Amino acid sequence: MNLEVSSTIDGEFTTHMQIKPPVSTSIGLWAGYRGWGAGYSLSLSGNNGYSFAMNMVSPSYGLNLRINRFKFDKPNASFSASSHDGSWSQSGEFDEEFLNAFLSSPMKIGMLSFDGYWVFNKKRFSLLAAYDQSTTQLRSAGSLIAGLMYYYQKLDYDSPKNFYFIKNAGDVALMKVYQGSIGFGYTYNWVPVRGLVLNVVAMPVLTLINKVKSSRYEIILPDEGEYDSWDADSYLNAITMRPAGEETLNGGVRLNLDLRMAASYCWRDWYVGATGQVHRFRSNNNNTTLKQTDWTVKAFIGMRL
């Protein structure tokens, strides 16, 4: 995941921060029967969390549900700041010592995504061949598709130990994103040799529901007499926060692209393959702009029973 936050402070300076948590790697099991399937994965990296997926595929349609939850406390972070008239600018990367002091509480991310496709050319084309392996695509073919998508994400970093990031994000420490989209597109299965299927799904989607609910907090820094000035932990523990209200903004109608790819090779009762999907989100919250990109790649090996 890549998270970028740009904020205009006091109407004069623009600060840009970029947060890159470590790549979350997981391993799990999946089982399916005639287009129905479910899987569960556990994280192998430093991002504590889990991933749950469920899918249903038929010759006419495909449904996919994915739920991810994880947290991280050691992101890569950089910043840049400049005045509107260009007379002053500064940029750099936050070192580990700075992050341990001012971005030390784990950020928590929860995500739910659901998408569904309706396939018009069900006689010659099969989504199951690339994503479920319950059918075999013998010849290359494609189909027009119609689809819908729902995306929800919760980004939570509401801790006094993250006050530097909170102050540069317009005092927002908790964000909930809601997106609902419909679209039409095209999908194609290419079969260069028997048993190998390469699939691409490209569907422009019109985002009709695009809301961001933000929770703001007031950061209260301690007086000098309330902590040991030589102890950074003592200072951080003396910082307090209190809610300063919630705000729900409608980002309006947007045109996005749903892009998904898959490759699968089957021989006898065995199969191997990989799938990938990219999601990009952008929102504006008064003087703060948030851009987020998350991607998922899954490689698998399995056997038909």
Side-chain angles (χ1 to χ4, degrees), residues 15-197:
T15 301
H16 174 261
M17 295 184 65
Q18 185 179 47
I19 302 293
K20 289 184 177 182
V23 175
S24 178
T25 306
S26 61
I27 188 171
L29 297 174
W30 179 91
Y33 178 75
R34 292 189 176 183
W36 291 77
Y40 187 81
S41 301
L42 292 174
S43 177
L44 298 178
S45 55
N47 301 341
N48 297 325
Y50 67 86
S51 174
F52 173 80
M54 186 170 65
N55 62 295
M56 184 173 64
V57 185
S58 78
S60 300
Y61 61 86
L63 301 175
N64 304 283
L65 173 68
R66 183 164 59 99
I67 300 174
N68 286 345
R69 291 189 65 183
F70 65 92
K71 60 182 180 180
F72 58 90
D73 56 4
K74 291 185 179 181
N76 296 321
S78 60
F79 78 97
S80 62
S82 61
S83 59
H84 287 181
D85 59 8
S87 61
W88 179 88
S89 64
Q90 186 178 5
S91 63
E93 294 187 358
F94 297 115
D95 57 26
E96 185 174 354
E97 181 179 0
F98 183 91
L99 293 175
N100 288 337
F102 301 111
L103 195 59
S104 57
S105 180
M107 289 184 171
K108 297 177 285 292
I109 291 181
M111 185 269 289
L112 181 150
S113 66
F114 171 83
D115 54 46
Y117 305 94
W118 181 265
V119 179
F120 292 96
N121 185 17
K122 61 182 180 180
K123 292 184 178 180
R124 294 184 174 87
F125 173 84
S126 174
L127 274 176
L128 286 78
Y131 295 93
D132 190 75
Q133 290 76 45
S134 58
T135 65
T136 301
Q137 183 83 43
L138 298 178
R139 295 182 180 179
S140 299
S143 175
L144 291 172
I145 56 173
L148 54 86
M149 296 177 60
Y150 177 77
Y151 182 83
Y152 166 81
Q153 185 179 78
K154 179 180 179 181
L155 178 62
D156 183 0
Y157 48 95
D158 60 346
S159 169
K161 295 183 178 181
N162 296 331
F163 79 92
Y164 185 86
F165 186 78
I166 295 172
K167 293 300 294 183
N168 284 280
D171 295 329
V172 173
L174 175 64
M175 296 187 68
K176 297 179 180 179
V177 177
Y178 307 85
Q179 281 191 323
S181 309
I182 59 173
F184 292 90
Y186 193 78
T187 179
Y188 189 77
N189 278 344
W190 181 42
V191 185
V193 296
R194 184 178 179 85
L196 177 62
V197 179

